[in-house]
Amino acid sequence: MLGFFTALPGAAAQGIIWGIMAIGVYITYRVLDLADLTVDGSIGTGGAVLVMCTIGGMDIRIAMVVAFLAGCLAGLMTGIFHTVFGIPAILSGILTQLALYSVNLRILGGKANQTLSVMKYDLIVSLRDIPNAIVIGLIFTACVIAVLYWFFGTEMGHSIRATGCNAAMARANGINTNSRKIIGLVLSNGIVALSGALLSQYQGFADVNMGRGAIVIGLAAVIIGEVIFGKIFKNFALRLAGVMFGGIIYYAVITLVLRLGLNANDLKLFSALVVALFLAVPYWKGKVLPKQVKTQKRGV
Amino acid sequence: MLEVKGVYKTFNQGTINEKVALNGINLTLNDGDFVTVIGGNGAGKSTLLNMITGVYPVDCGSIKIDGVDITKLPEHKRAKYFGRVFQDPMTGTAADMQIEENMALAARRGKPRTLNFGIKKSERNEYRELLARLGLGLEDRLTSKVGLLSGGQRQAITLLMATMQNPKLLLLDEHTAALDPQTASKVLNITEELVSEGKITTLMITHNMKDAIRLGNRLIMMDKGKIIYDISGEEKKKLKVSDLMDLFAKASNGEFANDRMLLG
């Protein structure tokens, strides 16, 4: 059990970094009401771009920006598949994800993985210094949340939220719902790639498979955050913070079950079942518990 | 101001479900007209509105508003001309957004969406005054989610949103049909007030013949995708429900006169 507690800071650091990705997932899954599977590829794109740019001698901060933009491009591709080609969103994401496997291999110079040593390069986060990684991760999360909070309060942000909430209403009010979906997908995947860029520094390498199952982890963080903090976190910024906490809790649970003897090979099976369970909770709640009848009488 | 010329629309063309929804519609509205539209189920009333607003493309024909041909414009680009209220109270507003956010979205219809704040402080006071006029107590609930409101409250807000920019044309698609009678009459009163105050040209579909006669200066009856009756001015004022029933009977051999029409 002691082992579990000593492993907790590492789980927190990982949870925070994956939490940033989950915030990206929140934009598509909750704000736009699209299930975007692009993230399995775009998180790897972010990692690969950062590693190759850094190895190539680029300043790490600029490399982060380039990684963000690469993720934006991935989101743009999905957005075009969805709105211009008329492909359902979930399939558009799968297509981009598949395409990104090849793209990520090319970025990584044809290799399945590339290492990025913290000894050789001046990295922002690394698992060699977990407390620092937690602090930096929290600062990044706070910045991402602050920017999103501002953005979704602007006229443009309002129009994106309206698109996700009620597309017919949005169009009736002169909003181009296709362009809003694209903007949302671009922004979401940019943030996901940023998370991938942090992750590759943290683990010290980028791998072509690093994003496999990322969407499941993202959804897990979103849903755990909502189930646990949904009642108290109503404000948009707090809800995004709840998503990050969801990521931390997810990694704490994973660490725990590994310590309890779960075979690491079974981890993805376990993750899938956990997410399925959490997704089922709101549905079962609605079915089993009789709907509370509102006694308050409403006028017009 | 609105000119619909030779508009045809067939759904599911060439399949077993083929349905001619509009069969050569010609309609011209004058500035300030308040037109009520009646007709049986499947007469093409809603399709006509959807053609005007661009929800679906027309098969052929043209639609002009103030001389501007909008036939080929996508829905969001022609939205600036129209205020719309739908039959389903859920359709006109974004449930997960606040009352003031919904109104701010409507206030920016036809304008570019920038990175300025979505609602200005001055707007809030304006919205509070508009809401106060509804007499529904909504002026103190600017930041409530619209999803928490009743159908009638949502229709009333949608009406405000549709008229706040003085649209060239207000399109009402049976907007009181899903409400209980008391609420329906309240929403209808608000409609009359807003329309007469802004002198807004209005096209209102209704299933209620009394309303169709009482409201507006012109009445149109549709059947099988065609306008079969168009009456205005003094002649309309003299119209009785029984006259309309006779017309319906003539047009469709009695099929049309269902209970809903008689009770309405």
Side-chain angles (χ1 to χ4, degrees):
Chain A
M1 213 56 211
L2 191 67
F4 168 63
F5 285 109
T6 51
L8 262 187
Q14 256 186 313
I16 291 167
I17 292 171
W18 283 92
I20 294 174
M21 183 213 59
I23 289 171
V25 171
Y26 187 93
I27 295 174
T28 48
Y29 186 65
R30 278 292 178 241
V31 178
L32 270 181
D33 200 20
L34 296 176
D36 174 32
L37 301 191
T38 314
V39 294
D40 277 26
S42 55
I43 191 167
T45 306
V49 166
L50 180 111
V51 168
M52 298 315 281
C53 285
T54 311
I55 291 174
M58 194 184 276
D59 183 280
I60 192 86
R61 284 159 295 187
I62 300 170
M64 297 279 293
V65 175
V66 177
F68 174 82
L69 293 175
C72 290
L73 279 179
L76 179 67
M77 188 166 170
T78 304
I80 289 172
F81 280 157
H82 178 45
T83 59
V84 180
F85 291 23
I87 302 169
I90 200 154
L91 194 51
S92 305
I94 291 173
L95 290 175
T96 308
Q97 181 200 118
L98 183 69
L100 285 178
Y101 187 84
S102 299
V103 173
N104 291 350
L105 271 176
R106 279 207 177 263
I107 295 173
L108 289 169
K111 291 185 189 162
N113 55 59
Q114 288 275 5
T115 53
L116 182 71
S117 168
V118 70
M119 315 300 276
K120 267 168 66 186
Y121 303 99
D122 193 14
L123 302 183
I124 296 176
V125 290
S126 166
L127 50 72
R128 296 279 177 94
D129 185 357
I130 287 176
N132 176 63
I134 291 177
V135 171
I136 298 286
L138 285 175
I139 292 172
F140 263 92
T141 310
C143 291
V144 168
I145 291 177
V147 169
L148 291 180
Y149 185 73
W150 162 77
F151 179 69
F152 283 107
T154 64
E155 292 176 347
M156 174 57 76
H158 275 188
S159 68
I160 293 174
R161 287 167 57 204
T163 299
C165 181
N166 184 344
M169 176 269 192
R171 281 191 294 270
N173 283 294
I175 293 164
N176 182 348
T177 48
N178 278 347
S179 80
R180 300 313 131 111
K181 284 181 189 171
I182 292 178
I183 292 169
L185 284 164
V186 165
L187 185 62
S188 164
N189 282 289
I191 292 169
V192 170
L194 193 66
S195 156
L198 284 173
L199 186 65
S200 62
Q201 294 175 62
Y202 180 79
Q203 62 191 17
F205 65 90
D207 187 290
V208 72
N209 283 319
M210 69 192 263
R212 178 161 294 174
I215 182 69
V216 176
I217 298 172
L219 288 178
V222 169
I223 293 156
I224 292 171
E226 280 178 352
V227 168
I228 296 178
F229 303 105
K231 285 258 155 57
I232 36 173
F233 286 180
K234 296 281 184 205
N235 175 288
F236 184 68
L238 286 177
R239 275 188 285 161
L240 293 182
V243 171
M244 181 204 68
F245 287 126
I248 296 174
I249 292 168
Y250 175 82
Y251 268 94
V253 171
I254 292 295
T255 309
L256 179 66
V257 294
L258 285 176
R259 291 281 163 185
L260 290 178
L262 180 84
N263 185 332
N265 289 342
D266 296 333
L267 203 52
K268 296 231 190 281
L269 173 65
F270 176 80
S271 305
L273 293 178
V274 167
V275 171
L277 259 176
F278 269 97
L279 280 170
V281 167
Y283 174 70
W284 286 341
K285 254 192 190 166
K287 261 193 144 177
V288 178
L289 299 176
K291 282 235 168 96
Q292 284 194 331
V293 181
K294 292 244 164 83
T295 46
Q296 183 197 351
K297 211 179 167 191
R298 282 172 173 163
V300 177
Chain B
M1 54 112 29
L2 176 79
E3 249 180 283
V4 179
K5 260 194 201 154
V7 166
Y8 288 81
K9 180 71 186 180
T10 305
F11 290 111
N12 305 315
Q13 201 148 21
T15 72
I16 197 160
N17 292 322
E18 186 172 288
K19 164 95 181 111
V20 178
L22 293 181
N23 194 4
I25 294 278
N26 293 299
L27 175 67
T28 306
L29 297 190
N30 302 313
D31 268 323
D33 264 357
F34 186 157
V35 184
T36 54
V37 185
I38 53 174
N41 294 327
K45 310 180 298 290
S46 291
T47 308
L48 175 62
L49 255 54
N50 286 337
M51 295 292 115
I52 294 172
T53 53
V55 177
Y56 314 109
V58 299
D59 288 348
C60 65
S62 74
I63 299 165
K64 282 184 189 170
I65 191 150
D66 274 353
V68 183
D69 191 340
I70 58 166
T71 319
K72 295 214 155 59
L73 277 187
E75 188 183 356
H76 67 270
K77 279 200 182 147
R78 47 174 118 173
K80 64 180 169 192
Y81 300 113
F82 307 117
R84 278 153 79 185
V85 185
F86 308 86
Q87 180 173 357
D88 182 354
M90 306 300 139
T91 313
T93 42
D96 294 339
M97 298 178 74
Q98 301 167 354
I99 293 178
E100 60 176 21
E101 288 173 338
N102 270 277
M103 295 179 79
L105 279 168
R108 286 159 180 75
R109 187 166 56 231
K111 293 175 189 149
R113 315 273 166 167
T114 66
L115 291 178
N116 292 327
F117 281 115
I119 309 171
K120 289 196 219 83
K121 264 198 187 136
S122 56
E123 285 176 67
R124 276 199 184 106
N125 296 326
E126 199 183 306
Y127 298 161
R128 194 170 287 126
E129 277 167 32
L130 279 172
L131 288 166
R133 290 192 36 203
L134 296 177
L136 302 174
L138 293 172
E139 60 275 18
D140 304 320
R141 301 178 63 186
L142 278 176
T143 55
S144 291
K145 294 263 160 71
V146 168
L148 299 171
L149 307 179
S150 70
Q153 288 172 325
R154 286 181 77 163
Q155 279 312 56
I157 291 175
T158 311
L159 262 172
L160 279 187
M161 287 164 57
T163 52
M164 64 197 296
Q165 280 210 76
N166 256 344
K168 292 235 183 280
L169 179 61
L170 177 65
L171 298 160
L172 308 169
D173 188 356
E174 290 193 53
H175 68 303
T176 59
L179 309 174
D180 66 75
Q182 209 185 342
T183 311
S185 86
K186 203 161 184 179
V187 169
L188 213 54
N189 287 340
I190 297 168
T191 310
E192 275 187 270
E193 235 176 80
L194 290 170
V195 167
S196 66
E197 199 172 296
K199 298 190 178 67
I200 304 169
T201 314
T202 302
L203 198 59
M204 179 175 103
I205 298 177
T206 176
H207 254 118
N208 186 316
M209 293 211 244
K210 277 186 210 146
D211 290 342
I213 292 170
R214 184 173 64 85
L215 294 169
N217 63 331
R218 187 171 164 195
L219 183 147
I220 287 170
M221 189 190 291
M222 289 183 70
D223 187 56
K224 298 192 183 80
K226 283 187 168 162
I227 294 173
I228 56 166
Y229 191 55
D230 186 344
I231 184 170
S232 53
E234 287 303 312
E235 215 183 329
K236 175 178 179 284
K237 281 182 191 155
K238 286 186 218 141
L239 212 57
K240 290 194 201 75
V241 172
S242 56
D243 301 336
L244 286 179
M245 295 308 300
D246 291 344
L247 277 164
F248 278 133
K250 238 190 274 170
S252 51
N253 299 324
E255 283 167 40
F256 183 77
N258 58 30
D259 291 350
R260 194 172 161 204
M261 315 295 301
L262 288 166
L263 293 170

